[in-house]
Amino acid sequence: EDKVVQSPLSLVVHEGDTVTLNCSYEVTNFRSLLWYKQEKKAPTFLFMLTSSGIEKKSGRLSSILDKKELFSILNITATQTGDSAVYLCAVVGANAGKSTFGDGTTLTVKP
Amino acid sequence: NAGVTQTPKFQVLKTGQSMTLQCAQDMNHEYMSWYRQDPGMGLRLIHYSVGAGITDQGEVPNGYNVSRSTTEDFPLRLLSAAPSQTSVYFCASRDSGANVLTFGAGSRLTVL
């Protein structure tokens, strides 16, 4: 059975700090790993990673995948209060119809 | 573009009542799924479908039924509601050639 473990479960930082969120996974026939952001409503897509070592970047957010060690990290630099959210990691494996999610990391950015 | 539409947004039920959460998408996506999200937890898969007429169970299917008679619609039925089914429910869809899910706005269900 596919499994996703995120750490830490919660994190409190101050504006301007840099944070690193972790996602480790076990999946049969890996297809992709996805990061979503959830702000008290439906999750919205951030990144999809399929290849090791290739960084995806969008503004202050970036993510990278290590398929050998089975993990991904999401970095947020110069955090802002608007980054406060739950960040969810999900994997798609052999059963393409299923996306398996971790429990999420709740990030709180204080002014 | 409506995307994924879920109804109702809020519902209060008494233990033992039945109800259906509706989900419709207008993007011609083949894959649809239902998740529940409890406080402090991620999304747990209830049921999913890879096309009209095809459904399968996820991690937490007990107490729920689904059907997929059309590509657009994927209703979730609670047969006999229990307090343990108090949760926020999300419907999601995606194209078979892509892995990115599009979510509905969610339905908050309370079972007393």
Side-chain angles (χ1 to χ4, degrees), chain B residues 18-37:
Chain B
S18 62
M19 78 157 298
T20 299
L21 298 176
Q22 301 290 346
C23 177
Q25 53 94 7
D26 62 359
M27 298 169 285
N28 204 34
H29 285 171
E30 292 168 290
Y31 293 178
M32 296 186 74
S33 48
W34 276 102
Y35 291 87
R36 60 177 287 173
Q37 186 174 35

Side-chain angles (χ1 to χ4, degrees), chain B residues 84-98:
Chain B
S84 61
Q85 293 178 304
T86 293
S87 191
V88 178
Y89 292 84
F90 288 101
C91 179
S93 74
R94 65 179 176 89
D95 186 79
S96 61

Side-chain angles (χ1 to χ4, degrees), chain A residues 5-72:
Chain A
V5 178
Q6 292 186 244
S7 64
L9 293 181
S10 65
L11 192 55
V12 180
V13 300
H14 288 92
E15 273 192 319
D17 289 347
T18 293
V19 298
T20 298
L21 310 183
N22 304 292
C23 174
S24 63
Y25 63 90
E26 297 173 17
V27 64
T28 304
N29 292 340
F30 175 89
R31 290 175 183 255
S32 63
L33 183 145
L34 299 100
W35 286 96
Y36 294 85
K37 179 182 182 181
Q38 186 178 26
E39 299 173 88
K40 297 199 181 297
K41 48 187 179 181
T44 55
F45 170 71
L46 291 175
F47 298 112
M48 183 173 74
L49 303 148
T50 57
S51 301
S52 277
I54 298 174
E55 185 183 51
K56 292 285 184 88
K57 197 170 172 67
S58 176
R60 296 175 294 102
L61 279 67
S62 64
S63 183
I64 198 161
L65 174 69
D66 185 328
K67 290 171 71 175
K68 182 180 177 184
E69 299 298 329
L70 307 182
F71 77 90
S72 173

Side-chain angles (χ1 to χ4, degrees), chain A residues 56-111:
Chain A
K56 292 285 184 88
K57 197 170 172 67
S58 176
R60 296 175 294 102
L61 279 67
S62 64
S63 183
I64 198 161
L65 174 69
D66 185 328
K67 290 171 71 175
K68 182 180 177 184
E69 299 298 329
L70 307 182
F71 77 90
S72 173
I73 60 172
L74 175 66
N75 280 322
I76 308 176
T77 60
T79 52
Q80 302 171 357
T81 55
D83 295 326
S84 294
V86 176
Y87 290 85
L88 295 163
C89 175
V91 293
V92 180
N95 188 333
K98 296 171 63 173
S99 297
T100 301
F101 283 81
D103 283 340
T105 294
T106 301
L107 174 65
T108 303
V109 182
K110 294 189 171 184

